[in-house]
Structures are given as structure tokens and as C-alpha cells.
Amino acid sequence: MSNQPTRTIALEANEQGFATTRLDALLGWARKYSLFQYPFVTACCGMEFMSVASPRFDLARFGAEAPRFSPRQADLLWVVGTISQRQAPVLRRIYEQMMDPKWVMAFGTCASCGGFYDNYTTVPGIDKIIPCDIYIPGCPPRPEAALDGLLLLQDKIARGDRTPGIVKPREDPMTHLRQHPRGLPLLGGIPNSIPPSGGPSAGSKSDKEHT
Amino acid sequence: MTVRVLDKLKERFGSAILETHSNFGDDTALVAPASWKEICTFLRKDPQMDFDLIIDLCGVDYPHRAETNERIEIVLHLCSLPKRARLRLKTRVGDEELNGAEVDSVTHIWPGANWFERETFDMMGVKFRGHPDLRRILMYPEFEGHPLLKDYPAARTQPLVQYRNEEEAGLPLEKIAPFREDEGMSFGRNVWNSADENN
Ligand code: SF4
């Protein structure tokens, strides 16, 4: 659908007609707005997940409001929080119980890569045991990041794309600091000598001023 | 009050009390492992002591003390609500290979010690004689070794689920340290590993 020009089809009352589309595009469109989610919440990120799901940030706006507490009825698995080695078989089993097509969202640093639990207890990222579609970094991520992740996932579903995606930060906090007249107030100005890291907002004019 | 507890212990158990101090009001007694249960029973049952509340029981690994069979220090924190007193009791057991790392369980004196002793067993490998149900409590039964011992390798994990292989996952699967030294974690994995190489 994306490579065809958009057409407006307006039918008057009593008029009959039809629209054509590709079947997979139609299916993708239907799927992306009817995600049934299974929240697998294990740790502190759960607080942010509650916030995302509740009225203030309101996941329901994006057609993903119905949590299912049986994996057999769900098609989106939110892995929210730290997954310990001891929980790994459970997570794996829940994933296997879900019906195709299914998507997995890694909510937070722990679920994405193990975070700072760099030791014997924790699975270093759920992608070591199940496939993962979207990574939402942050400890915990802000609810906006989770919404960004959901939109990214919907976009991928519509395109039929299964390559993993990572939610980008909305704003690079370093940009602010680089624009500070005296360099970086907190870090003693060291990073001023570091070239911008190619992020979306890194090449701003303040970088040129400093060099 | 505070000094009296220690004095009483010394008076009653003599040479079984190896060391005492009460720095900053923290009464501490290091006792011989053989008298562990006897001393605990006394502290609980004696009307003048009446330590009715167990606060914590845990283990500490001191590898350099292994030659004298004092590798694991077991630390017990007690509190007496009626007498408003607190006491820390320690004992040292075990050699390099954790032979002899055993003391009597105090679960029958303070039922709350049950899970603390299981945790100490799980993390440190100390056996508690007479414990009703000495199993691992945090780690899974398949886990080998005791992770809080200093000689447990920092990078060793024992996954219950086979990790996916690299083609399937499409990403490198070796564990990477989350923060490097220049990112403020000077005690991170890299430093630890390079210390291993030098040894
Ligand atoms: S990423 Fe941070 S907030 Fe989320 S589960 Fe891990 S430690 Fe908790």
C-alpha cells in the first residue's frame, strides 16, 4: 500500500462501489489496530507499563487496549522487567503458547540486554531465548517511549517487516549540554572535544561553534 | 545493658567466646562454631537475655582465612524487644574447599531463621545441621556451585534454557559488560577479567 498513491474514495448514499488493495496490506492494517497484548511483568518497569496502559497515556488510543491474561489469546507479548535465568523457561513456554502471528516487545533495558544485572542471575536480553521485534531502551523507559515502540511495531506490522527495531530517544540530552555557553557544566567540559556521534540531532550548529 | 550481655556470655561460655567488641554500641561476639547452638539457645531462653527476634542471618566469604578453617563467617543479628538490646553473633567455618563449613541450625530456636539459612546455604554453601528443609531458595536446583563465593567466576552463567544460536538470533550472543571503565564502572567486568589474566 505504501508504494501506491493514496486515493480518496467517496461514495454517495445508495451508491455502490468497491476499493481494491492487496490482501497482505489489508491483513497488516487489520492486525496492527487489533493487538491483543499479554503483559509479562516481572520488575520495576511494570510501574511504567501500568502508566502506559492506564488513562493518562492510554494505550487504547492505538487499538491495543485489551490485555489478555492467557497467552493463547494474545498476539503481542510485552516483556516488562528483568528476566532471571530461573524465569527463562516460563517466558519461553509462554511465547510458545501464543498463536501466530505474534510479536514481542522488550520493555526496558533489562529485558533488552540484561542491563546492569551483569551476573549469574539474569538472562542478558530476552532475544537470547525468544525472537524480539522491538527494543525499548530506558531504565525504565518513559511511557512516551513505550508508545513510540508501539507505533514502530504497528508500522512494521503494516509493512510485514520482521527486522528488530529499537526505539530512538526523543531528544538527545547531550545536545542541550553542548549548547551550554560554558560547555558541559556537570562533566567539566570533556565531551566538547568528542565529535558528534551521528545521532539525529548531533550535527547542530553549536558543534561547529566549538570546533 | 549492652556490656552486660557480652559479659554474661563471657562469664558463662568462657573460651567459646573468641572475641568481643562493642564499637559504637554494636555488641559483637565471635564464638566457636561448636558452641553455636548452645549459645543461641541461651540467648533465646534465658530470661535475662530474651533475644526473641531474629533480624538477619547471612554469610561472608573471606578466602584469605581459609588456612585456619575460617573461610566463611556466619553473621547472626538478634534483637531483644523486651530488653531493647541488639546483638551480633559471628562464627567462622570452612576451609578452601568448604570442608567443615557446617554449623547447627537455629531454626528450632527462631523459626524465622529457616529461609535465611537456606539462603546462606544457596549463596555460600554452608550446611546447617538439623535444618528441616535445606534446599536452594534463590537459585534453581540445577545450579552448580555457590554464586556469592569469591571464587565463583563473575562471568559464569548457567542458563536453564539453551540460548538461541547466532544465525537464528541474528545478533552476537556473547555477554558484553554494560558499562566500561571510562563510563564510570571501574569495578566492571573488564577490570575483573584482566585481573584474571594477570594471575
Ligand atoms: S530496566 Fe530498570 S526499571 Fe526496568 S526492570 Fe530493569 S532495573 Fe527495573
Side-chain angles (χ1 to χ4, degrees):
Chain A
M1 218 166 170
S2 52
N3 45 20
Q4 290 170 6
T6 336
R7 258 168 278 161
T8 322
I9 302 165
L11 296 180
E12 297 295 325
N14 300 330
E15 209 178 350
Q16 300 200 337
F18 56 87
T20 55
T21 178
R22 293 200 322 273
L23 180 63
D24 54 349
L26 179 67
L27 271 182
W29 177 80
R31 279 173 184 156
K32 81 176 200 181
Y33 289 127
S34 58
L35 289 170
F36 280 43
Q37 2 158 9
Y38 181 89
F40 189 89
V41 179
T42 57
C44 16
C45 271
M47 304 314 286
E48 294 302 314
F49 182 76
M50 288 170 215
S51 160
V52 180
S54 56
R56 181 158 183 152
F57 291 93
D58 201 9
L59 214 49
R61 290 178 290 165
F62 306 101
E65 79 248 65
R68 292 283 131 190
F69 296 105
S70 162
R72 291 164 201 268
Q73 299 169 348
D75 50 14
L76 170 59
L77 175 65
W78 291 80
V79 183
V80 183
T82 324
I83 300 298
S84 63
Q85 298 285 3
R86 205 174 174 174
Q87 275 167 329
V90 181
L91 179 61
R92 176 82 195 236
R93 177 125 195 214
I94 288 209
Y95 176 77
E96 283 166 357
Q97 285 177 344
M98 291 169 61
M99 278 190 289
D100 275 323
K102 53 193 173 187
W103 295 274
V104 177
M105 191 94 97
F107 188 115
T109 306
C110 284
S112 306
C113 68
F116 46 70
Y117 298 110
D118 178 26
N119 58 21
Y120 60 96
T121 50
T122 301
V123 178
I126 56 164
D127 47 19
K128 308 291 179 293
I129 48 180
I130 57 177
C132 181
D133 288 289
I134 301 282
Y135 301 85
I136 309 177
C139 179
R142 284 192 57 85
E144 293 93 324
L147 295 181
D148 285 354
L150 186 73
L151 295 181
L152 183 57
L153 179 70
Q154 289 182 333
D155 188 45
K156 274 158 44 86
I157 293 174
R159 285 184 283 117
D161 174 10
R162 293 310 293 258
T163 46
I166 303 179
V167 175
K168 292 212 170 59
R170 288 209 171 181
E171 174 185 280
D172 180 6
M174 292 304 273
T175 324
H176 264 327
L177 294 176
R178 284 204 194 95
Q179 280 162 355
H180 193 276
R182 289 191 310 254
L184 289 162
L186 294 177
L187 302 177
I190 304 161
N192 282 347
S193 55
I194 295 180
S197 60
S201 51
S204 58
K205 69 176 173 15
S206 63
D207 289 314
K208 290 183 198 105
E209 278 167 21
H210 284 300
T211 43
Chain B
M1 173 77 216
T2 53
V3 183
R4 288 221 305 274
V5 175
L6 296 179
D7 286 346
K8 260 251 145 52
L9 279 179
K10 275 189 275 196
E11 190 183 300
R12 191 174 160 117
F13 294 99
S15 62
I17 310 293
L18 306 176
E19 209 180 293
T20 58
H21 62 78
S22 42
N23 291 343
F24 308 107
D26 285 344
D27 288 353
T28 305
L30 177 67
V31 308
S35 321
W36 181 249
K37 189 172 185 180
E38 198 190 340
I39 292 173
C40 287
T41 315
F42 171 73
L43 289 172
R44 177 71 187 87
K45 295 280 155 62
D46 189 88
Q48 279 183 300
M49 296 292 162
D50 209 5
F51 282 94
D52 52 355
L53 179 64
I54 178 167
I55 305 289
D56 195 8
L57 188 152
C58 59
V60 190
D61 184 13
Y62 292 101
H64 64 276
R65 292 201 191 132
E67 294 96 62
T68 49
N69 284 352
E70 293 181 325
R71 174 165 177 187
I72 311 280
E73 187 166 88
I74 299 163
V75 187
L76 172 66
H77 289 235
L78 295 174
C79 175
S80 165
L81 294 177
K83 306 280 184 223
R84 300 192 188 171
R86 285 174 185 270
L87 177 68
R88 185 186 296 137
L89 210 60
K90 297 179 179 180
T91 188
R92 295 174 183 166
V93 288
D95 66 2
E96 186 73 48
E97 303 296 321
L98 294 184
N99 297 319
E102 296 193 8
V103 283
D104 287 314
S105 166
V106 294
T107 307
H108 302 292
I109 306 170
W110 295 279
N114 190 325
W115 283 13
F116 291 135
E117 289 184 347
R118 280 177 66 184
E119 185 192 6
T120 311
F121 164 70
D122 191 357
M123 296 289 130
M124 297 278 168
V126 179
K127 299 212 173 54
F128 291 88
R129 280 186 298 256
H131 188 284
D133 181 25
L134 196 62
R135 286 179 293 135
R136 287 187 181 275
I137 187 170
L138 296 170
M139 306 314 295
Y140 27 97
E142 295 87 347
F143 196 85
E144 287 168 14
H146 300 282
L148 287 197
L149 292 179
K150 298 267 192 266
D151 50 15
Y152 186 91
R156 178 168 179 215
T157 55
Q158 305 183 25
L160 276 181
V161 175
Q162 184 74 45
Y163 288 171
R164 300 153 71 213
N165 61 35
E166 301 219 346
E167 297 123 60
E168 205 187 337
L171 47 124
L173 290 184
E174 93 279 13
K175 271 184 75 172
I176 21 177
F179 301 105
R180 294 192 311 267
E181 207 175 347
D182 55 331
E183 287 167 304
M185 198 181 253
S186 56
F187 46 87
R189 165 87 47 79
N190 296 338
V191 181
W192 187 265
N193 280 349
S194 58
D196 278 352
E197 278 155 27
N198 295 341
N199 289 340

